[in-house]
Amino acid sequence: QKEVEQNSGPLSVPEGAIASLNCTYSDRGSQSFFWYRQYSGKSPELIMFIYSNGDKEDGRFTAQLNKASQYVSLLIRDSQPSDSATYLCALNAGNNRKLIWGLGTSLAVNP
Amino acid sequence: GAVVSQHPSWVICKSGTSVKIECRSLDFQATTMFWYRQFPKQSLMLMATSNEGSKATYEQGVEKDKFLINHASLTLSTLTVTSAHPEDSSFYICSARDMAGKGYTFGSGTRLTVV
């Protein structure tokens, strides 16, 4: 089992819809969870991070963490074509604090 | 917010030469910097973790003598690709963790092409 698993997609949603991206992980000791967005040919940019169980909202984005079930999700409300990108889930594991990455989910928002 | 400046953004070099990539944290002190490599349509691959003033920790399979990392100050880390070959052509990205440890900020990346 991979440490961080994401559906590679592509996930296709119409403009204005809610996009739901999911990530599961295997290490129960994971402390911090991150969602990054990466456009083709660009470096990743942080969308948000979450440490505690529950929801965390930032604008159109909501991260949801459930440590008991070992999943973290990202909801994008009112999806826009500019949200079309690869979304990477990462978590912090180990004392040296390096990030463990999923392979990413490709999102396409159709006008 | 935290900003990481990475230079150059792209470089073309001849096979057998060396290339240095710089990564600077502009408005915070980075105790730890990470160097990644990404091939087209693939995910990020961590190459090494560097801590200011100490030797870098390389991931399994990454040649430390080929990819030299220096993290001499809290704001600067460099990656030198020595004796580059066409298979080293890739997108290299640095990432810094701020001292508060809350986030990991990425540089804009360096696209290396070895001809």
Side-chain angles (χ1 to χ4, degrees), chain B residues 49-67:
Chain B
T49 301
S50 72
N51 294 296
E52 185 266 337
S54 63
K55 290 183 178 180
T57 301
Y58 289 80
E59 295 298 302
Q60 191 173 10
V62 178
E63 300 174 60
K64 61 179 67 177
D65 293 331
K66 181 172 182 62
F67 299 99

Side-chain angles (χ1 to χ4, degrees), chain B residues 14-54:
Chain B
K14 291 185 177 180
S15 186
T17 61
S18 296
V19 173
K20 179 184 283 189
I21 301 170
E22 288 191 352
C23 184
R24 293 179 185 272
S25 56
L26 296 186
D27 50 1
F28 68 101
Q29 293 181 319
T31 54
T32 304
M33 287 193 177
F34 304 89
W35 287 94
Y36 292 88
R37 180 167 56 182
Q38 187 174 37
F39 293 105
K41 299 191 183 302
Q42 294 189 23
S43 189
L44 295 166
M45 187 191 80
L46 179 66
M47 299 175 67
T49 301
S50 72
N51 294 296
E52 185 266 337
S54 63

Side-chain angles (χ1 to χ4, degrees), chain B residues 46-104:
Chain B
L46 179 66
M47 299 175 67
T49 301
S50 72
N51 294 296
E52 185 266 337
S54 63
K55 290 183 178 180
T57 301
Y58 289 80
E59 295 298 302
Q60 191 173 10
V62 178
E63 300 174 60
K64 61 179 67 177
D65 293 331
K66 181 172 182 62
F67 299 99
L68 301 179
I69 291 173
N70 183 282
H71 192 164
S73 76
L74 284 171
T75 59
L76 175 64
S77 177
T78 61
L79 167 67
T80 301
V81 182
T82 63
S83 187
H85 291 284
E87 57 266 31
D88 298 324
S89 298
S90 187
F91 191 46
Y92 292 86
I93 318 171
C94 66
S95 175
R97 174 177 163 245
D98 63 55
M99 290 186 76
K102 290 188 176 180
Y104 297 75

